């Protein structure tokens, strides 16, 4: 079955450092992968999308990489700030089966001031 | 542009009852997806509607059903509620085309007692 794993349930880092979150998947070859941010009590918010033929995508302080050989995506937040504290979810597009998207369980990031 | 609106925000129901949740998508979005979010399972895909037709379905029992109206608004119904149905139910709208990101509402928190 499809499986998406995100590294550790929680990640604490010091303000100003780079946070790196991992998304690993098995048993599928998605055409693209998306990252979302979710704050407590709110729905996820779309951040970035990366296609299978793209190695890297950037948006301001955010960077996503996609390695289809390793079946892994890395999500980086540079110069992290306490306001970046949230849960980050990766999602795979799986349109050939019965699912549209499958989400990882998320990584809870806490940036310490 | 108004975001995705979900009503009600909170619901408390008793086992055996049924419940209907409502979702108003972003204007112009023809796809509405529903997700169940619990601490243990994360975001689980329920189903997706596009132009009033169910286009994708997740692995949930038949007690979970939905529909979409001609104005793209969607409802989700859960019959014969069980304690395990307690969760945050999230609705997401999108253009429904390949790569289009999901725009989530803030969810309906359902508690079954």
């Amino acid at each position: 079955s499809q499986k998406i794993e995100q590294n550790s349930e929680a990640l604490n880092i010091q303000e100003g450092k780079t946070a790196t979150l991992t998304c690993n998947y098995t048993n599928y070859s998605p055409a693209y992968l998306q990252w979302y941010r979710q704050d407590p009590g709110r729905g996820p918010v779309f951040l970035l999308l990366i296609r299978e033929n793209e190695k890297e995508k950037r948006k301001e302080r955010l960077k996503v990489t996609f390695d289809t050989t390793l079946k892994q995506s890395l999500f980086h937040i540079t110069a992290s700030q306490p306001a970046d504290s949230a849960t980050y979810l990766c999602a795979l597009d799986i349109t050939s089966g019965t699912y549209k998207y499958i989400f990882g369980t998320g990584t809870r990031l806490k940036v310490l001031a | 542009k108004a975001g995705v609106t979900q009503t009600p925000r909170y619901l408390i129901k008793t086992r055996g009852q049924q419940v209907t949740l409502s979702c108003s998508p972003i204007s112009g979005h023809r796809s509405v997806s529903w997700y169940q979010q619990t601490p243990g399972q994360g975001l689980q895909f329920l189903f997706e509607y596009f132009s009033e037709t169910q286009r994708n379905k997740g692995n949930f029992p038949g007690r979970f059903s939905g529909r979409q109206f001609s104005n793209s608004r969607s409802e989700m119904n859960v019959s014969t509620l069980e304690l395990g149905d307690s969760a945050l139910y999230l609705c997401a709208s999108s253009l429904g085309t390949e790569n289009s990101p999901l725009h989530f509402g803030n969810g309906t928190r359902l508690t079954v007692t």
Side-chain angles (χ1 to χ4, degrees):
Chain A
S1 62
Q2 318 303 334
K3 193 173 179 183
I4 303 176
E5 291 183 343
Q6 294 191 240
N7 66 319
S8 68
E9 287 189 9
L11 180 65
N12 292 341
I13 64 164
Q14 209 62 41
E15 183 177 8
K17 300 292 185 183
T18 296
T20 298
L21 284 63
T22 304
C23 176
N24 294 297
Y25 58 93
T26 59
N27 297 338
Y28 196 70
S29 298
Y32 56 93
L33 185 148
Q34 301 184 5
W35 283 88
Y36 289 79
R37 168 185 172 141
Q38 186 174 22
D39 292 285
R42 304 185 72 86
V45 174
F46 170 74
L47 295 174
L48 278 169
L49 176 151
I50 186 165
R51 293 177 176 79
E52 60 177 340
N53 60 352
E54 296 176 316
K55 295 295 183 188
E56 182 180 297
K57 200 79 169 281
R58 291 176 184 263
K59 179 183 176 182
E60 298 172 352
R61 295 184 296 111
L62 308 180
K63 185 179 86 171
V64 173
T65 63
F66 194 9
D67 189 326
T68 55
T69 302
L70 291 178
K71 292 187 181 293
Q72 180 183 79
S73 175
L74 298 179
F75 178 81
H76 307 272
I77 306 175
T78 58
S80 59
Q81 306 165 358
D84 295 327
S85 299
T87 296
Y88 292 86
L89 304 159
C90 66
L92 303 186
D93 167 53
I94 302 179
T95 53
S96 64
T98 59
Y99 298 96
K100 177 67 173 175
Y101 292 98
I102 287 184
F103 279 80
T105 51
T107 298
R108 194 168 60 249
L109 173 68
K110 186 169 184 180
V111 181
L112 307 170
Chain B
K1 215 178 209 182
V4 176
T5 304
Q6 290 189 247
T7 56
R9 192 80 170 87
Y10 300 95
L11 261 179
I12 299 177
K13 290 286 186 179
T14 305
R15 266 182 307 175
Q17 289 185 313
Q18 75 165 18
V19 67
T20 299
L21 313 181
S22 180
C23 173
S24 292
I26 290 174
S27 177
H29 284 187
R30 295 165 64 188
S31 169
V32 173
S33 302
W34 288 89
Y35 289 82
Q36 180 195 67
Q37 188 173 37
T38 58
Q41 298 295 319
L43 268 167
Q44 301 286 307
F45 174 77
L46 282 154
F47 30 67
E48 184 218 3
Y49 286 86
F50 183 84
S51 294
E52 302 180 66
T53 300
Q54 188 179 86
R55 190 163 68 168
N56 288 290
K57 189 178 187 303
N59 193 26
F60 276 79
R63 299 185 297 107
F64 292 82
S65 63
R67 59 177 175 168
Q68 187 179 32
F69 302 95
S70 57
N71 61 358
S72 292
R73 192 177 71 83
S74 177
E75 288 182 346
M76 189 190 93
N77 186 76
V78 187
S79 62
T80 320
L81 284 166
E82 301 177 0
L83 294 179
D85 296 333
S86 295
L88 180 67
Y89 290 88
L90 291 160
C91 158
S93 76
S94 77
L95 293 172
T97 56
E98 188 183 5
N99 297 345
S100 51
L102 301 175
H103 299 264
F104 285 86
N106 287 327
T108 293
R109 172 74 62 185
L110 173 65
T111 302
V112 182
T113 62

